[in-house]
Amino acid sequence: GKFIQVSDATLYYEVYGSGEPLLLLHGDTFGYISEFEQYIPLLEKHFKVIIPALRGHGKSELGSSRYSYQLFAEDALAILNKEKVDSAFIVGFSAGATTAYYLTAHYPGRVKKTVAMGGAIGTMSLRDGILQKLQTNTGDDYEKMLPALVKERKKLMPKPNSYNELIEKLKTSWLQTNYIEREKLQAIQSPVLTVGGDRDDYMRTEAFVEIQQLIPKSSLAIIPNRNHVGLILDPQMFANVV
């Protein structure tokens, strides 16, 4: 593991293997570097794998900045710059997928190819009722859903009692109407693969189709019988599709 100081926070990341750079971006709320752990042995044989801990998650500090997918993308770029990486392949899951779309749309010279798994481009991507839950759920609510997992996440945090604060800061990013401008997505020229589960808990299946149709050189993989988290827990899909 390594640390980098950005303007308002110390961020943590890990690097494995050698070869062409591959940036892995994990999800938020319950997410962390460990969600990719079963894939690292496969990937590090072929790539220099760079995995940031999203600010506020695990060993990365919360910082004082207003959370947005632009901020998360800039954090990732700071890490690529420290590793002297000009351009990289990107694989992102959930919030990491949204950040991957943002990087691809706004920093085209830094991205070779993108795989976005379960990523939204705005609140219009969400299923009915999800936005209200994102507005009202607290850190305590999420901890009740997965108490053992959140307990382990808290142990890693520089401020172990800051999980509620993290959720409140994440809401700022979740509740933006548009995470990435449509015209920016329509201007993407590098290859993009959008991956969605047909039973995603948060996103409409049609939203994955809409995203794929917005991005010119893009492909779409709808995985049957997979909910949101099921995408990242499916090693066969990850190896074969990604």
Side-chain angles (χ1 to χ4, degrees):
K2 302 182 180 183
F3 290 90
I4 179 174
Q5 181 66 43
V6 295
S7 58
D8 64 317
T10 300
L11 305 180
Y12 174 78
Y13 67 102
E14 297 178 3
V15 180
Y16 299 88
S18 60
E20 291 196 82
L22 172 63
L23 180 67
L24 294 184
L25 299 173
H26 67 73
D28 62 20
T29 311
F30 301 117
Y32 190 53
I33 290 169
S34 56
E35 70 191 33
F36 291 117
E37 63 187 359
Q38 63 181 324
Y39 308 114
I40 292 171
L42 171 69
L43 295 172
E44 68 178 344
K45 294 177 183 178
H46 307 283
F47 301 98
K48 177 181 179 178
V49 183
I50 302 168
I51 320 177
L54 182 69
R55 58 170 58 217
H57 293 69
K59 298 180 182 180
S60 287
E61 292 179 346
L62 282 163
S64 57
S65 296
R66 183 177 184 270
Y67 278 22
S68 67
Y69 295 100
Q70 177 181 352
L71 177 66
F72 303 150
E74 290 170 353
D75 287 344
L77 285 177
I79 290 169
L80 291 182
N81 291 339
K82 185 180 179 186
E83 290 296 313
K84 297 180 171 57
V85 171
D86 293 328
S87 60
F89 299 105
I90 304 180
V91 175
F93 167 66
S94 193
T98 302
T99 304
Y101 285 133
Y102 192 98
L103 281 164
T104 308
H106 281 264
Y107 300 94
R110 306 300 299 270
V111 180
K112 295 178 179 178
K113 293 183 180 181
T114 303
V115 177
M117 303 165 56
I121 59 170
T123 54
M124 76 292 291
S125 300
L126 304 176
R127 290 188 181 276
D128 291 341
I130 294 298
L131 185 59
Q132 183 180 2
K133 291 181 180 179
L134 295 178
Q135 289 172 322
T136 58
N137 279 357
T138 66
D140 290 338
D141 293 324
Y142 289 113
E143 188 165 5
K144 289 173 185 175
M145 296 176 196
L146 293 171
L149 180 63
V150 173
K151 183 179 179 181
E152 292 303 309
R153 295 285 188 261
K154 282 182 170 181
K155 289 179 182 178
L156 297 171
M157 299 175 81
K159 293 167 56 181
N161 295 319
S162 59
Y163 187 70
N164 271 293
E165 184 181 354
L166 168 63
I167 296 303
E168 293 308 309
K169 290 179 77 68
L170 284 170
K171 287 181 183 182
T172 308
S173 59
W174 297 338
L175 301 179
Q176 295 173 355
T177 303
N178 296 300
Y179 305 152
I180 306 116
E181 307 92 323
R182 294 173 72 89
E183 59 270 21
K184 283 286 188 180
L185 292 165
Q186 290 169 329
I188 290 174
Q189 293 301 308
S190 57
V192 175
L193 172 62
T194 290
V195 183
D198 68 346
R199 302 187 184 191
D200 193 292
D201 318 72
Y202 302 97
M203 285 186 61
R204 299 177 296 109
T205 305
E206 297 84 359
F208 296 116
V209 179
E210 292 162 6
I211 293 168
Q212 187 268 328
Q213 291 177 342
L214 275 175
I215 302 172
K217 295 181 180 179
S218 63
S219 303
L220 177 67
I222 298 295
I223 310 301
N225 302 314
R226 288 291 178 273
N227 63 8
H228 190 69
V229 177
L231 287 176
I232 200 66
L233 299 178
D234 188 340
Q236 183 178 6
M237 185 282 295
F238 196 94
N240 292 345
V241 176
V242 177

